[in-house]
Amino acid sequence: MIDNGVKPRFSGNSSIFSLSEKRAKYNAIFKQDAEEIRTRVMGEVSEEQIFIPVRDGSKVRALVYRPESAQPEDRLPLVVLIHGGGFILGNAEMETPICVEAVRAYDCVAVSLEYRLSPEVKFPIAYEDCWDALLWMIANMSTLRADPTRGFIFGGTSAGSHISIPLAHRARDEGLSPPITGLYHSVPPALPPQALTERYKPFYRSREALKDGMTLTSKSTDLYDTAVDPDFTSPLWNPLLWPTGHKDLPRTFFQICGADLLRDEALIYERELRLGNGVKTRTVVYEGLPHIFWYNYPTHSASAKFAQDAIEGLGWLLSRRLSCSR
C-alpha cells in the first residue's frame, strides 16, 4: 500500500501540527468513521451519550451501545473500553467499531469511555477519571441496563490499555464487586524504559530497535511523557511491576503489533501472566505491522483481520461463541 502511494491517516511526526490542530483532525476522522457505522447499523444498535461524574466535580464523556432488540427489563453483559491516543489525543468514537460489533455479536452493553487529556491535566488524573467512572457504572447498572455478573470485560487500546492494566489490579486488590471477568489489551504499554529492571532487560529490545518506527516513535513517546508528567516510579505507570503481583487476575486477551516499539513489554507482561501467575491468556501478534495499523490503514487486509480477532477475543472473554449469522 505504501509503495502504491497510500498515505497513513495519522503521522508519527508529532511536530507537524499543534496539539489543538491534531486533536481537531483526529477527532473529525473518528467521528466520521463512527457516523458511517451508525448509519450502517441503524435499527440494530443504539447509541447513547452520557457524562459520568468524577471525584473533583468534573464529568467524563462516554458512549453507550445496546442492541435495539433488547427490552427495557433486560440486563446484559458489560464491555467497557478506553481509547488510546498517548494520553493527549482521542475520543470515545475511536472504540465505536469494536463496541458496535461486540453488541451485534454478543447482545451486550458496550461503553466507550473518555478521560481528561494532558497537558490540561497531569498524571494520574486519567487513571482517577477511569476508576471513578468504573465505580459509577457499577453503582448505576440499572441505568446502563447491564448485569456484570453475566460478564464484565474491561480494557482498551494503547494508552487506554495502559490505564486499564493497573485499574484491573486495583479492582482485584480492593475486591471490586461485581468483579471484572475479562481483560482486553490492545497494543498495551506495560513497562516504560525509565523503570526497566535487570530481570526484563534481555527481553526488552523493541523500544530501541523500533524507536524510529511508523506511527509511534521514541520522539512521540517523549512528547507524551512531557505532556503527562508521570511519576516513573509509580505502579500506575509501571503495571508490570505492580507491588502485589499478578495472580488471580481474570482471563486476558492481547493484540500485539510485531513492528511496534511497545511489542516486547506487552509480550513480557503476557508471559508473566500466563507462565508466572497461571492467568489464562490468548494472544494474537501481527507480524511486521506497526502500532495501531488498523487506524492508519483501515483498508489493509490485516485491519479487517484485527477487527475480527478483537470480536472473537471479546467472545472468548465472555465465554461466548461468535454468532454464525453475523
Side-chain angles (χ1 to χ4, degrees):
M1 292 181 72
I2 294 170
D3 289 345
N4 290 333
V6 177
K7 300 294 184 182
R9 298 205 298 175
F10 309 105
S11 170
N13 186 343
S14 299
S15 63
I16 293 178
F17 303 106
S18 70
L19 180 56
S20 60
E21 289 172 329
K22 288 192 76 168
R23 284 178 177 170
K25 175 188 175 184
Y26 291 8
N27 286 349
I29 289 173
F30 287 119
K31 287 186 176 182
Q32 181 178 344
D33 289 349
E35 183 57 35
E36 292 173 0
I37 292 170
R38 290 187 199 102
T39 301
R40 176 169 56 83
V41 300
M42 188 176 298
E44 188 177 356
V45 178
S46 69
E47 178 188 272
E48 178 186 6
Q49 178 177 254
I50 63 173
F51 293 90
I52 299 174
V54 296
R55 68 187 65 186
D56 65 1
S58 299
K59 293 184 178 180
V60 294
R61 175 176 176 257
L63 297 175
V64 183
Y65 298 92
R66 304 182 185 89
E68 287 278 16
S69 60
Q71 300 302 308
E73 66 274 12
D74 289 345
R75 296 295 178 262
L76 306 174
L78 179 64
V79 175
V80 179
L81 300 180
I82 309 172
H83 68 81
F87 292 87
I88 68 173
L89 302 165
N91 57 22
E93 281 79 4
M94 291 177 73
E95 299 304 313
T96 292
I98 294 179
C99 285
V100 165
E101 292 306 314
V103 170
R104 293 182 68 217
Y106 305 119
D107 284 334
C108 62
V109 174
V111 179
S112 181
L113 178 63
E114 291 185 0
Y115 47 91
R116 286 175 286 174
L117 300 174
S118 296
E120 290 87 343
V121 301
K122 300 294 187 179
F123 178 87
I125 295 297
Y127 299 83
E128 294 174 351
D129 283 352
C130 293
W131 179 253
D132 292 350
L134 205 58
L135 296 181
W136 182 91
M137 283 185 260
I138 287 175
N140 290 271
M141 285 298 170
S142 60
T143 300
L144 292 175
R145 293 160 51 192
D147 179 1
T149 65
R150 298 187 58 198
F152 186 0
I153 310 307
F154 183 49
T157 300
S158 195
S161 182
H162 195 181
I163 293 170
S164 71
I165 294 173
L167 296 192
H169 285 74
R170 181 177 179 180
R172 177 205 61 187
D173 292 349
E174 297 186 10
L176 188 71
S177 182
I180 296 166
T181 61
L183 297 170
Y184 171 81
H185 295 318
S186 175
V187 293
L191 182 67
Q194 294 87 344
L196 180 61
T197 64
E198 289 295 327
R199 177 181 179 183
Y200 298 121
K201 276 185 180 179
F203 313 106
Y204 193 93
R205 300 172 182 172
S206 58
R207 282 269 186 169
E208 177 62 25
L210 297 164
K211 65 182 180 180
D212 298 318
M214 296 171 60
T215 313
L216 188 64
T217 67
S218 60
K219 288 183 179 179
S220 57
T221 57
D222 288 346
L223 183 149
Y224 301 151
D225 289 350
T226 299
V228 179
D229 192 22
D231 175 0
F232 289 106
T233 67
S234 170
L236 290 175
W237 200 249
N238 307 293
L240 183 57
L241 307 181
W242 192 261
T244 56
H246 312 297
K247 284 190 179 296
D248 301 320
L249 287 171
R251 59 171 56 191
T252 304
F253 175 67
F254 289 87
Q255 290 177 285
I256 299 171
C257 294
D260 182 358
L261 64 80
L262 302 178
R263 178 196 67 208
D264 288 352
E265 58 208 84
L267 290 171
I268 292 167
Y269 180 52
E270 186 278 334
R271 184 176 185 270
E272 215 36 74
L273 292 182
R274 177 172 46 88
L275 296 181
N277 295 274
V279 176
K280 291 183 179 179
T281 68
R282 182 171 290 186
T283 303
V284 182
V285 177
Y286 302 92
E287 295 185 18
L289 290 169
H291 192 72
I292 61 167
F293 67 86
W294 58 95
Y295 290 145
N296 240 353
Y297 295 95
T299 59
H300 193 286
S301 59
S303 298
K305 183 180 186 306
F306 170 88
Q308 181 75 7
D309 291 339
I311 299 308
E312 291 180 359
L314 289 173
W316 177 72
L317 294 175
L318 288 165
S319 299
R320 300 273 295 280
R321 291 186 181 275
L322 190 62
S323 171
C324 294
S325 62
R326 179 176 165 271

